[in-house]
Amino acid sequence: MTSTPTPRATGRREERDGTAYLVFERTFRAPITDVWAATTESDRLVRWIGHWAGDPTSGSVSFRMTAEAADAPAETIHIDVCDPPRRLVMRSARPDDSAIEWTWQIDLAEADGVTTLTFAQEVGSDTLAEGVGPGWDYYLDRMVAAETGADLAAIDFDQYYPALTAHYRAELTR
């Protein structure tokens, strides 16, 4: 019987245009177009995080996280930059204050048959970072599992949260 490795905190704080972001990286032995599809096509996203509906050319889609509770509400995701297959910038209402929006950035780069995904999530407080950080480690590990054929059921959110919260609290307050 093989055991699942203990999750680790991989995100780091980075300032981008005067705003604090948590930044995560994952690598894939796959062409950039394949990793782009895994992050933008609804039938690929549903394998690891959720699905979207609507017309992305309108500038927004409705997104429902299926790896959350079965009754997780859909949210509107605004698409600010879509430069296939290299860059995607989106925003939506923050969960703690729907009057404030936060931003996600996905950047892809390919070299020697390996594509690096750099994911950045804007965070405004250490309290948000405590949930966002472990959450993105969890989802990005699910993405790696989905793309490599590993067992997604072996990735348990309870191993990420609250175990990784101290790392992200410290990252945001440094």
Side-chain angles (χ1 to χ4, degrees):
M1 176 179 190
T2 61
S3 64
T4 303
T6 301
R8 61 184 185 88
T10 64
R12 67 185 185 281
R13 181 182 198 270
E14 186 176 294
E15 289 286 323
R16 294 183 174 192
D17 297 321
T19 300
Y21 281 78
L22 288 177
V23 178
F24 305 80
E25 289 184 356
R26 296 295 187 275
T27 58
F28 300 86
R29 189 159 296 285
I32 194 171
T33 53
D34 192 49
V35 179
W36 176 261
T39 60
T40 61
E41 293 178 6
S42 191
D43 62 336
R44 297 277 297 272
L45 281 168
V46 76
R47 297 186 310 175
W48 61 276
I49 190 169
H51 63 86
W52 59 264
D55 179 5
T57 64
S58 72
S60 66
V61 294
S62 176
F63 182 73
R64 182 178 315 273
M65 295 181 81
T66 55
E68 301 273 330
D71 61 347
E75 60 184 298
T76 300
I77 304 294
H78 302 279
I79 304 163
D80 294 327
V81 176
C82 183
D83 182 17
R86 303 208 179 281
R87 183 159 174 76
L88 181 62
V89 178
M90 304 163 288
R91 62 188 158 79
S92 74
R94 276 185 13 188
D96 62 329
D97 184 345
S98 62
I100 301 172
E101 291 185 320
W102 57 3
T103 301
W104 303 294
Q105 300 173 359
I106 298 172
D107 292 289
L108 301 175
E110 182 180 4
D112 300 322
V114 175
T115 299
T116 300
L117 176 143
T118 303
F119 177 89
Q121 163 76 58
E122 176 184 355
V123 289
S125 73
D126 56 339
T127 302
L128 285 175
E130 290 175 7
V132 168
W136 281 115
D137 275 321
Y138 168 74
Y139 285 118
L140 292 171
D141 286 353
R142 285 177 55 87
M143 179 186 180
V144 169
E147 294 306 304
T148 61
D151 181 11
L152 270 75
I155 301 171
D156 182 358
F157 184 70
D158 291 340
Q159 293 181 328
Y160 292 78
Y161 184 87
L164 306 182
T165 59
H167 169 84
Y168 289 105
R169 184 181 324 108
E171 277 296 305
L172 203 64
T173 57
R174 65 175 176 92

